Amino acid sequence: MHEEEDGSRDTSSCAASRILAARSVDVAELEGSKEQASKLCGYLNKLSGKGPLRGYKPRWFVYDPRKCYLYYFKTPQDALPLGHIEIGDACFSYDVEGDEGQFEIRTAGKEFLLKAPSRQVMHYWLQQLQQKRWEYSNTRGSGQRDSWSSPTLACPPTGLVSKDNDAFVFEKLSDSMEKVRSDFAMDTETDGGGMVGIQSARGPSAASTNTLNFSLRNFGTEIRNSMSYLRPGRGGENRRSVFYTGNSSAEEWELVDAPPKDFPEQKHHPDTHRHSFGSAFTFDFVRNSARPKRPLLREMRFGRNADTRSAENSPVECNGSKSLEMQLRLQSQQEELNRMQQEQTKLREELASQKELVRLLQQTLRTSQCDRQPVRPPAPAPDSSAPPDQTQGPVVTQEENTQMEALLQEKDGQIQSLCGHMERLALEKESLQQELKGLKIKVGEINDQLGMLMETIQAKDEVIIKLSQESSEQSGNHSDAGSPPPNKDQQELDILKDSLQGYKSQNKFLNKEILELTVLRRNSESREKALEAKYTALEAKLCQVESKYLVLLQEVKTPVCSSSEQSQTREVISRLLEDALQAESPDQQEHPIFKPNTVSEYDVFGFKTVPEEEEEEEKLVAKVRALELKSLSMTDQEVSVGVKWENYLASTMNRDLVRSPELKALMRCGVPHEHRSKVWRWCVSFHVKKFRDHLAPDYYETLLNVARDKPNPASKQIELDLLRTLPNNKHYASPSAGGIQKLRNVLMAFSWRNPDIGYCQGLNRLAAIALLYLDQEDAFWSLIAIVEVFMPRDYYTKTLLGSQVDQRVFKDLMCEKLPRLHAHFEQYKVDFSLITFNWFLVVFVDSVVSDILFKIWDAFLFEGPKIIFRFALALFKYKEEEFLKLQDSTAIFKYLRYFTQTILDSRKLMNIAFMDMNPFPMRQIQNRRSFHLEKVRLELTELEAIRQTFLRERETSQEGRSFVSDDEEDN
């Protein structure tokens, strides 16, 4: 069954030559961590869809070692995958005579056809997937994981628990089997030719140019991926796009937000190098990244004959002849450009002639206006004998003036019409200039494409010349030797040699595939047989236990018995108790698949489950507690939490963790053991980012060097407290334990980092818990996060001012949230702060069972000190009814000292802390801290004044006192 997607084959025809926006991966995300550098990921074409939409579509594939899944996304930036392929139970194959780079992955009931850009990349993918499947199959054989946890960890724990955790101890691979596998391995490039790995996401992909690259079946997933780019805090602000735009004023192309110089260009399949004939500007060529780029014709000055000649007469030769198709296109474009230039020249000439005509008309108009005033003749003499013709002069002048006025009006109309025509010509000129700019832009595109085509043709010409020279040399050699020239048989022989080499590679691959599948089948059969043996052994052990306890119940139930029967009963009971208290010793011979004892000597965190120095009754109680904790850890609710974490981490494979309501809800459920190192490291980095950004990367090492060179006043107290930190944890139980030196380094570095505090008892326990899951430097920063970010300023100073204030705030919250219990304590005058003070100082270390302790720390490192108040109230709420039954202050205080060790159900405790205690705003705690801080400071000031008064009085009284010994009196 294939993925049902709509779209056309990405190898059909390329998109039209237009400037597209290609989304690029942020360089900081690509080179941010060493873990991402070794990822198996890259672009492959996947066959999907139905009917006419069936074809190959580019997909971004990422291998997840936790589940041995090969996830595929539409783009590297997507948060949700379109689907996955189970590699653990898959088999691989490819056809030598099939399409280049095409291979097949078959899983249970599914077949996936994939295509790599080249045969070398295909071989690299197949070899890597075989290796991942082999590693997964060998790690899966340990059988020491829960059914829902991941067999392989992408980010293994870095703390002390990672060294002795049974879940991370795998079987050693056979050297002979590895040698046979290496003999059958194919010769491939170590990095897939740059087409595989996180660096391949930098280049452009076919997904950005294929307009039909979408999935109807996964349409909702694509919409969510698209919306994730728009959400704040999802990493969308780090994604940048590369745009190419034209600058019309400078008549050239410029790169806006260009990618870094080390971006490798994506290599496309040869089928994608076809031309598209849908438009007059539809060339799409790919530059050869191995050849230097030639300067493009970007600064063209239109109207120059040199450019015209270079565009018309540029020789474009391929195999000795011009490319007819390209020549016709260039000629048509050049003719159109010449025609537009000629039309522009004509319009300019016409405009110049019209301007000259208007100038002449304006000059004529000014001349006519000057001559318009009539010249009056002198007044005639009053002589009646004058001839009558002399009186007609003025009449003729008046008619001429009338004609001249009419002529002038006509000229004015002509001038107005010419002015209007001139305005129209100006508008037409502007439109022609705009059209000319558009044509210049198109010509720039064509010249860019022409430059790329010229490079391609030049490369082909060089290859042809080289081949021609080789052919001529071979023909010369053949002619000298008298042998006939190469013929069709020689070509067939070369083809057969290539086919033979391909079949040899395929034979090696298939032999290795058969070998690995055979070993996988045998391992599967061995696991099945081992599980059957485990089931039989456990069933037999259960029967034995039931029979022993039935005997015990029967013997205990006997009301009266003789002395001999009493001795037998005591022997049976003591023997059963010894069997029940027997813990797994480290030197005991273990079964390779399962352990014979349900409770080991140490839990997964390194704490001792059954103390040795305690009495027999207390040992039995500790064993029962360990059994209950183990049974609670295997409930359906715990399994559900693990599955939710797996799904969440799989969805964040392509991006870092971000603070969100979903992550907050998961943190409040507790982090699974195998993911706790990664999550704690992220939480600490988030809280101390403002400190680390302004410090050198080797800041921690610098502090260690200072601590080694200079003595510190706190070093003596640190040495005294090292072995007293967690004596019941094997990582700190002896001076040679692995955690002692690391704890010493962290505390010494912190004492130099914060000389105001230096060292305070309690810091050693905080650092010891952090070191169980973090390395030294991260544990150092976690201590800074707790002391300098989470807690108030004077929490760990000599006066412990902040700790005293929090105890008063907690009393107020007890009165508000648990009024009955608070009144009960007040009635019997029980000061519970004597117990809770240590809870707040060391965040419940040595106060609750280890499983609950680390769940509290999960939420504490994410949300801060408010979690301490929540769980402190929840612990009292959990045992409220038991406290109310006690009617004696001594009994209440005695129960206060150990009642937290009787709380085992972490789910119930978390529901009380995060549900029953709501609402619980941090603003309320801050206000009450401010109120009680002033009161405590005032009390400390009064105590200091009383102390100084007492010291002065004692000094005064000692001046008048003299001590006389008994010996002196006797003398």
Side-chain angles (χ1 to χ4, degrees), residues 61-74:
F61 284 82
V62 179
Y63 174 74
D64 182 9
R66 293 174 298 185
K67 292 187 176 182
C68 198
Y69 281 1
L70 187 64
Y71 291 94
Y72 51 92
F73 304 78
K74 185 176 179 181

Side-chain angles (χ1 to χ4, degrees), residues 94-354:
Y94 72 94
D95 188 4
V96 177
E97 298 179 356
D99 294 341
E100 183 181 4
Q102 179 176 309
F103 62 98
E104 183 178 7
I105 301 179
R106 294 187 180 183
T107 60
K110 293 183 180 181
E111 297 178 1
F112 299 89
L113 281 177
L114 306 177
K115 183 184 287 187
S118 63
R119 191 177 300 276
Q120 289 76 14
V121 177
M122 177 193 71
H123 287 168
Y124 181 82
W125 270 100
L126 289 174
Q127 186 167 341
Q128 288 297 317
L129 291 176
Q130 278 186 334
Q131 182 66 24
K132 301 299 183 183
R133 182 186 61 188
W134 179 256
E135 294 173 356
Y136 176 82
S137 65
N138 285 281
T139 58
R140 185 169 52 177
S142 62
Q144 297 175 356
R145 288 179 173 270
D146 296 332
S147 58
W148 53 267
S149 64
S150 304
T152 308
L153 295 180
C155 300
T158 55
L160 297 171
V161 297
S162 64
K163 296 182 179 180
D164 57 349
N165 189 8
D166 296 332
F168 307 108
V169 179
F170 304 131
E171 297 177 359
K172 186 177 180 180
L173 301 180
S174 173
D175 294 337
S176 60
M177 180 60 67
E178 288 296 327
K179 184 177 183 304
V180 175
R181 290 181 66 251
S182 63
D183 292 340
F184 285 129
M186 297 180 294
D187 297 332
T188 59
E189 299 182 11
T190 57
D191 58 348
M195 298 295 293
V196 182
I198 198 68
Q199 71 276 4
S200 62
R202 298 171 177 174
S205 68
S208 61
T209 58
N210 192 352
T211 57
L212 297 179
N213 183 21
F214 64 91
S215 169
L216 290 179
R217 182 181 181 183
N218 305 88
F219 189 66
T221 302
E222 293 194 8
I223 290 179
R224 288 194 294 272
N225 287 331
S226 301
M227 294 300 295
S228 66
Y229 301 147
L230 305 177
R231 296 175 184 170
R234 293 277 183 175
E237 66 276 8
N238 294 329
R239 296 185 175 90
R240 296 181 291 121
S241 299
V242 179
F243 295 93
Y244 292 88
T245 180
N247 188 353
S248 59
S249 61
E251 298 181 357
E252 64 179 8
W253 298 98
E254 63 179 1
L255 180 62
V256 179
D257 196 9
K261 296 181 180 180
D262 59 345
F263 263 29
E265 299 192 9
Q266 184 76 14
K267 298 180 181 179
H268 293 274
H269 194 273
D271 293 341
T272 62
H273 294 175
R274 302 175 183 173
H275 306 314
S276 176
F277 299 97
S279 172
F281 303 90
T282 53
F283 294 98
D284 190 9
F285 300 99
V286 179
R287 290 182 180 271
N288 186 0
S289 59
R291 294 176 54 83
K293 296 184 179 180
R294 295 177 58 190
L296 302 179
L297 303 177
R298 300 193 176 198
E299 298 180 355
M300 296 188 62
R301 301 297 181 182
F302 294 97
R304 293 185 179 180
N305 296 330
D307 293 340
T308 306
R309 288 196 301 270
S310 63
E312 291 180 351
N313 303 326
S314 58
V316 183
E317 297 183 1
C318 181
N319 298 331
S321 62
K322 293 185 177 181
S323 177
L324 181 59
E325 175 190 346
M326 191 62 189
Q327 184 180 5
L328 291 175
R329 289 180 178 274
L330 289 176
Q331 286 180 357
S332 61
Q333 297 299 325
Q334 193 63 39
E335 289 176 359
E336 183 178 357
L337 181 62
N338 292 335
R339 181 179 59 80
M340 296 300 296
Q341 290 178 350
Q342 292 175 1
E343 186 176 354
Q344 183 187 18
T345 304
K346 292 180 181 179
L347 289 174
R348 286 179 177 175
E349 293 176 355
E350 184 179 356
L351 181 63
S353 62
Q354 294 293 337

Side-chain angles (χ1 to χ4, degrees), residues 699-820:
Y699 177 66
Y700 175 71
E701 295 296 333
T702 304
L703 292 177
L704 284 183
N705 295 331
V706 173
R708 296 188 189 103
D709 298 339
K710 298 180 181 180
N712 193 301
S715 59
K716 184 177 180 181
Q717 188 62 42
I718 291 174
E719 292 295 332
L720 291 175
D721 289 344
L722 286 178
L723 292 178
R724 296 184 296 188
T725 301
L726 295 176
N728 59 338
N729 191 291
K730 64 180 179 180
H731 301 294
Y732 306 99
S734 64
S736 60
I740 293 296
Q741 182 59 39
K742 294 181 179 180
L743 181 60
R744 180 186 291 110
N745 292 341
V746 171
L747 294 177
M748 291 297 295
F750 181 80
S751 65
W752 282 103
R753 151 78 184 184
N754 194 331
D756 184 33
I757 296 175
Y759 173 74
C760 172
Q761 288 185 345
L763 297 181
N764 55 333
R765 296 185 179 184
L766 297 176
I769 293 296
L771 279 170
L772 292 178
Y773 281 98
L774 302 174
D775 55 19
Q776 293 187 45
E777 186 172 0
D778 290 328
F780 166 75
W781 286 109
S782 68
L783 197 60
I784 292 177
I786 295 173
V787 176
E788 301 183 14
V789 179
F790 290 164
M791 299 304 189
R793 181 177 179 181
D794 296 328
Y795 218 85
Y796 295 97
T797 55
K798 294 180 180 180
T799 59
L800 299 176
L801 179 63
S803 302
Q804 297 183 47
V805 170
D806 271 2
Q807 292 307 305
R808 301 195 181 194
V809 174
F810 181 65
K811 285 185 179 180
D812 293 347
L813 294 175
M814 280 281 290
C815 182
E816 177 184 344
K817 301 289 183 180
L818 303 173
R820 287 199 306 157

